[in-house]
Structures are given as C-alpha cells and as structure tokens.
C-alpha cells in the first residue's frame, strides 16, 4: 500500500470513527499510532515516545467527532496533518531528560528545514506523505529538502545565504 493509499484508508477510518462507536475509534487509534510513534522516536527516548504517541492518539481520536469535512481545509486539516502537529506539540512539551536530541547540524536548521529532513530521511515518508503531513505541496517539500541538504553540505549556518 502506498502512503497516499494509506492516507485514504485513514480518511475512511476517520469517517467511520466520526459516525461509529468505540470499535471504529479503536481501529482509528491503532491506525494512527505508528505515525505518532515513528515521529516521537526521532527525538525522544522509547518510553517517552510511547507515552507521547498514546497521548496523540487519544487526543486525535477524541477530536474526530467534532471535526467536519470542511476542517480538512483548515490548518491541521487532514488527519495526517493533525497527527503530525499534535505529535510535534507534545514533543516540544516533553522534558529535556526524555530527549535524545538530533545531531547538532540538524538541530541548527530552521524548523521548516529540520521538519522536512525528519519526515523524509528519519521517519521515512515519501514526498507525497511528507507534503500531506506538513500541509505543503510536493514542490515545497522538494525545495525545502534541497535547501536543508545544501545547508548541511556546505556547513553554512542555518538561515544564511551565499552571495
């Protein structure tokens, strides 16, 4: 199954959870948990990542009944975007003792460049999956990935430009 097909499956599970009961919500929880776990494990120790992933899943599943189809057009619109942004917020709130940290060079990148590298190279999403998770276009993902890798290659300080 491609990542875009997976997003369609998640959309179907979201619709079922919105209209269904506990069993539908449990299926949605199980489907989104791997996304949250993979993202949280990038920056957190295993136990903290598991806790964050569980909190993300509970929050997302709890929000589904109140999410209208029109919410997909808003920030955090798609379910994948909501999982990613909720995971990012909870990672940011996690205490420093639970963090494993990223390499210094990656930490020094601006947030948008760092996120695209994390999603593409560490989490392992393809361009389309990263675009959905970040709410960007394919072109934006490819451009920001190029900028991030070029910055890392040249060793230039993040945010600097060459003349």
């Amino acid at each position: 199954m491609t990542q875009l097909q997976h997003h369609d499956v998640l959309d179907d599970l979201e619709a079922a959870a919105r209209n269904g009961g506990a069993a539908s919500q449990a299926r949605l929880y199980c489907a989104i948990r791997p996304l949250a776990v993979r993202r949280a494990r990038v920056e957190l120790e295993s136990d903290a990542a598991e806790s964050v992933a569980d909190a993300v899943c509970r929050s997302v599943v709890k929000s589904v009944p109140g999410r209208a189809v029109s919410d997909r057009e808003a920030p955090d619109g798609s379910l994948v975007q909501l999982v990613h942004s909720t995971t990012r917020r909870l990672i940011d709130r996690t205490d420093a003792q639970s963090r494993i940290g990223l390499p210094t060079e990656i930490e020094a990148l601006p947030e948008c460049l760092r996120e695209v590298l994390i999603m593409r190279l560490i989490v392992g999403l393809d361009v389309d999956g990263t675009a959905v998770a970040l709410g960007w276009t394919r072109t934006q993902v490819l451009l920001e990935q190029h900028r991030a890798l070029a910055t890392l290659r040249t060793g230039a300080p993040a945010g600097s430009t060459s003349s």
Side-chain angles (χ1 to χ4, degrees), residues 100-129:
I100 56 174
L102 294 167
T104 306
E105 297 83 2
I106 294 176
E107 284 282 356
L109 291 170
E111 184 177 354
C112 66
L113 299 181
R114 186 174 55 247
E115 282 300 311
V116 77
L117 283 186
I118 288 170
M119 300 306 282
R120 292 280 290 130
L121 304 178
I122 301 173
V123 175
L125 295 180
D126 63 14
V127 174
D128 293 322

Side-chain angles (χ1 to χ4, degrees), residues 48-76:
E50 295 290 328
S51 294
V52 163
D54 286 334
V56 166
C57 293
R58 285 191 305 272
S59 175
V60 169
V61 169
K62 184 179 177 183
S63 74
V64 165
R67 283 174 42 92
V69 173
S70 62
D71 288 342
R72 293 181 185 178
E73 304 304 319
D76 297 342

Side-chain angles (χ1 to χ4, degrees), residues 25-94:
Q25 291 178 345
R27 282 192 296 277
L28 179 61
Y29 184 104
C30 291
I32 62 175
R33 192 169 192 287
L35 298 172
V37 168
R38 278 195 324 227
R39 179 59 187 89
R41 284 187 179 162
V42 171
E43 295 183 61
L44 302 174
E45 292 179 349
S46 183
D47 290 343
E50 295 290 328
S51 294
V52 163
D54 286 334
V56 166
C57 293
R58 285 191 305 272
S59 175
V60 169
V61 169
K62 184 179 177 183
S63 74
V64 165
R67 283 174 42 92
V69 173
S70 62
D71 288 342
R72 293 181 185 178
E73 304 304 319
D76 297 342
S78 77
L79 188 66
V80 175
Q81 279 180 270
L82 181 59
V83 170
H84 173 72
S85 64
T86 304
T87 305
R88 175 79 257 150
R89 278 194 300 273
L90 291 178
I91 288 170
D92 289 344
R93 292 183 192 160
T94 304

Side-chain angles (χ1 to χ4, degrees), residues 36 58 64 79 98 101 110-111 117 121 132 135 138 142 146 151 155 160:
R58 285 191 305 272
V64 165
L79 188 66
S98 297
E111 184 177 354
L117 283 186
L121 304 178
V132 170
R138 285 180 48 86
L142 293 170
H146 172 76
T151 300
S160 70

